[in-house]
Amino acid sequence: GSSSPPKGNVHIFFGGPVATSGDWPVEAADVTISGGFPTEQCGTAVASLGDVDGDLIDDLAFSCPWYNPGGGLRGRTVVFFGRSAWGSSYTSDDADASFVGGDQDAYSGQALEGLDLDGDGLNDLVIGSPDWNSGTGRIAIALGSGSSSWDSGTSMDSMNRLYPANNSSHALGGWLGSGDANGDSYDDLLVGAPGFGADKGILALLLGAASPA
């Protein structure tokens, strides 16, 4: 959700044995995470990643596409590791890890997904950046690993896997989804490129494997 100025908020409601019906006002959230940069619009995309750091607690990612580290609105995606005890409020600057758009990214993080692409038991983070390179688009993947391997301020250019579109205006990474598409027990990644074919759009499938291409 947006605040004023539009730094954005992400609200967490803890599960329980009974889920109350009706409206859930944001004021009743168990945890609120606000944007740390005044106009970054955090919460544009939110993903329950599964366990990316191997502590058996699911983790959370959300994007802040209007984050400006200097040099343009490159955007950032932040990761909060799951924990048994949460405070009531945080900012995006408190994240356990963050990934900032590279020199050619704009508004990165418009789509996010968590899946175990390489079948190692740790989920991986996928970030879509459809405005990369003037709308060509790309996706970037951080493979799951122990918590000490996740850093703040990592450039998307340095992530474990980078997949750019091969033609301009494809807007690759505008949508992401996952599941086991071929029954081999590896999660597979579905990637949308809405600008393909003069905006007809296309979906591409990246098959999971022990060593993704």
Side-chain angles (χ1 to χ4, degrees), residues 146-174:
S147 59
S148 62
S149 301
W150 295 78
D151 296 318
S152 293
T154 299
S155 171
M156 285 179 60
D157 294 336
S158 301
M159 293 177 68
N160 297 116
R161 299 288 189 276
L162 298 172
Y163 299 93
N166 56 11
N167 284 297
S168 63
S169 302
H170 282 183
L172 184 74

Side-chain angles (χ1 to χ4, degrees), residues 5-211:
K7 56 187 178 182
N9 294 319
V10 170
H11 304 283
I12 302 175
F13 293 82
F14 295 147
V18 178
T20 58
S21 61
D23 295 335
W24 289 15
V26 295
E27 294 82 6
D30 295 289
V31 181
T32 296
I33 308 172
S34 300
F37 183 80
T39 58
E40 60 181 336
Q41 298 196 21
C42 290
T44 297
V46 179
S48 176
L49 298 178
D51 181 15
V52 300
D53 64 340
D55 65 355
L56 304 181
I57 305 176
D58 288 349
D59 307 307
L60 168 72
F62 61 85
S63 64
C64 311
W66 284 62
Y67 175 72
N68 186 346
L73 297 171
R74 300 179 191 177
R76 66 173 168 177
T77 295
V78 301
V79 178
F80 280 79
F81 296 146
R83 60 206 71 188
S84 58
W86 287 81
S88 61
S89 63
Y90 299 87
T91 76
S92 54
D93 294 329
D94 296 321
D96 295 290
S98 61
F99 298 90
V100 180
D103 289 343
Q104 295 188 70
D105 284 294
Y107 314 108
S108 66
Q110 294 180 47
L112 302 174
E113 186 70 11
L115 75 165
D116 187 4
L117 190 65
D118 57 357
D120 65 353
L122 297 176
N123 275 21
D124 313 308
L125 166 65
V126 187
I127 302 174
S129 186
D131 288 314
W132 177 79
N133 192 19
S134 301
T136 299
R138 68 172 176 175
I139 62 169
I141 301 176
L143 297 175
S145 59
S147 59
S148 62
S149 301
W150 295 78
D151 296 318
S152 293
T154 299
S155 171
M156 285 179 60
D157 294 336
S158 301
M159 293 177 68
N160 297 116
R161 299 288 189 276
L162 298 172
Y163 299 93
N166 56 11
N167 284 297
S168 63
S169 302
H170 282 183
L172 184 74
W175 183 87
L176 299 170
S178 65
D180 183 5
N182 59 353
D184 64 355
S185 299
Y186 288 96
D187 288 343
D188 307 308
L189 180 66
L190 193 62
V191 185
F196 178 86
D199 295 331
K200 294 178 181 178
I202 195 171
L203 292 172
L205 182 65
L206 175 64
L207 294 176
S211 297

